[in-house]
Amino acid sequence: MSVRYGTSVFHRVACISSKRNGQARGFFHTAIRTQEKVGQSEHNDRTTHFGFETVPESAKESKVGAVFSSVASSYDTMNDLMSLGIHRLWKDHFVRSLNPGSRAGETDDTRGWKILDVAGGTGDIAFRMLDHATTINHDTKTSVTVSDINPEMLAEGRKRSLETAYAGTERLKFLEANAEKLSMVESNSIDLYTVAFGIRNFTDKQRALDEAYRILKPGGVFACLEFSKVNNPLFNGIYKRWSFGAIPLIGQLVAADRGSYQYLVESIEKFPSQSEFRNMIELAGFMVPGQGWEDLTGGIAAIHKGIKPLS
């Protein structure tokens, strides 16, 4: 099944724009990738950012892995600090906006969404998705696979899942995988791809978006919740002072890990703006509804969505 919203607005947009979008995607994507290949041939060891530090691309994955191995057991505390304590409200809103699960009137053989929650190791989004599908849409067939590159984060998710009704069932699975190389996931097999507070840590974000496009079914939805750019200058100044002045210090006091928290606030600063990230989603081939994002709390975070056109 494909993910549908209300009166299938996304479905119609995807259908109308499928052919045109496919042609545009082919042209622009080829041009961009050709340019990247030229760059790769000129630079044997490409660099990227790790917070404000410039590092070889080959080194970023292990550096990010070390950060999340360090914060896995205190992940909620970390997000409380990063979001001033309101990340739980954002996550609830994110899930409600996606409305996972079946619609009334659908036959039993079409019920149940297949959801991939990427960089979702602790299960925060997955558990919310399953709760919503079960209690709101009375759907007991929707399933979520939680994918994460970090085994410590997955271990935390498995531990937390034992407190839910989904542990040990077919509705909840865990997968250790790199979001940029999801070869174990079949093309056109996923109804909904979610990633919350994770994509800013990826080495090659465009490649991850390409993989999301590949594995989603036609009509399927990509949905991302991520820290973003505050759109009020006064509020932005206050938030940055809190982020760079207080969070690393609190990380040192609470978790004895100033370095990891310093990286996390720097990674937010380096993440593309709302409009830049929307353009990346479009480059991967997705149709973007409206302006392409919804700001939360003045832009501290934003929700981005894209729909894979119908073939």
Side-chain angles (χ1 to χ4, degrees):
M1 64 174 290
S2 61
V3 178
R4 280 168 282 180
Y5 291 71
T7 57
S8 301
V9 173
F10 282 3
H11 181 94
R12 292 200 300 272
V13 170
C15 185
I16 293 170
S17 306
S18 176
K19 183 175 180 181
R20 182 179 60 189
N21 187 68
Q23 292 171 341
R25 178 176 187 264
F27 176 80
F28 289 111
H29 209 271
T30 299
I32 292 293
R33 287 306 184 198
T34 299
Q35 185 178 31
E36 286 183 353
K37 288 179 180 179
V38 171
Q40 289 173 14
S41 66
E42 293 176 350
H43 303 281
N44 293 328
D45 197 359
R46 298 174 62 192
T47 60
T48 187
H49 60 82
F50 176 74
F52 290 162
E53 181 184 357
T54 299
V55 299
E57 281 192 348
S58 57
K60 181 171 180 177
E61 184 177 312
S62 63
K63 284 180 170 289
V64 172
V67 168
F68 282 90
S69 293
S70 175
V71 303
S73 61
S74 58
Y75 186 72
D76 283 341
T77 300
M78 178 198 74
N79 278 329
D80 282 334
L81 294 173
M82 305 292 288
S83 69
L84 304 178
I86 58 177
H87 67 99
R88 292 176 177 84
L89 298 178
W90 293 342
K91 290 172 181 175
D92 289 342
H93 175 68
F94 180 59
V95 170
R96 285 195 302 270
S97 76
L98 295 168
N99 195 18
S102 304
R103 297 293 182 273
E106 291 185 346
T107 59
D108 286 342
D109 61 344
T110 63
R111 298 187 70 187
W113 292 10
K114 189 174 181 181
I115 302 171
L116 181 67
D117 183 36
V118 175
T122 61
D124 261 8
I125 297 298
F127 305 152
R128 283 173 167 83
M129 290 281 186
L130 292 171
D131 285 345
H132 185 102
T134 303
T135 62
I136 303 300
N137 288 321
H138 309 292
D139 172 11
T140 60
K141 293 188 177 181
T142 283
S143 63
V144 182
T145 296
V146 179
S147 173
D148 204 294
I149 196 172
N150 189 287
E152 283 83 3
M153 294 289 284
L154 288 171
E156 187 68 20
R158 289 190 179 96
K159 183 175 72 175
R160 296 184 185 191
S161 74
L162 298 177
E163 301 174 6
T164 74
Y166 314 114
T169 72
E170 289 298 310
R171 300 189 67 193
L172 179 65
K173 298 179 181 179
F174 292 87
L175 172 68
E176 185 177 337
N178 185 333
E180 299 165 26
K181 305 170 187 175
L182 294 171
S183 57
M184 72 294 296
V185 182
E186 294 182 9
S187 300
N188 305 308
S189 65
I190 301 296
D191 294 297
L192 173 62
Y193 175 117
T194 57
V195 55
F197 303 120
I199 200 166
R200 76 180 189 278
N201 300 300
F202 295 175
T203 301
D204 190 336
K205 299 169 185 62
Q206 192 65 57
R207 182 172 296 175
L209 290 169
D210 291 344
E211 275 291 84
Y213 185 92
R214 178 185 67 79
I215 66 177
L216 279 166
K217 298 176 182 178
V221 172
F222 165 85
C224 174
L225 170 62
E226 187 54 270
F227 288 107
S228 199
K229 307 300 183 187
V230 175
N231 46 44
N232 179 283
L234 179 59
F235 186 29
N236 186 46
I238 296 170
Y239 180 66
K240 282 189 177 180
R241 181 169 297 182
W242 163 258
S243 296
F244 287 95
I247 291 177
L249 177 59
I250 296 173
Q252 175 65 38
L253 297 174
V254 173
D257 187 2
R258 184 185 184 97
S260 292
Y261 285 79
Q262 183 70 39
Y263 158 73
L264 290 166
V265 296
E266 291 176 4
S267 70
I268 295 173
E269 189 72 13
K270 297 295 290 185
F271 191 67
S273 69
Q274 288 91 323
S275 60
E276 289 169 338
F277 189 55
R278 174 202 59 203
N279 294 343
M280 293 174 68
I281 294 170
E282 289 181 324
L283 177 62
F286 291 103
M287 293 303 304
V288 173
Q291 72 170 356
W293 72 87
E294 175 189 358
D295 283 332
L296 304 176
T297 318
I300 291 180
I303 295 173
H304 288 262
K305 294 176 184 174
I307 310 98
K308 183 172 179 176
L310 298 173
S311 56

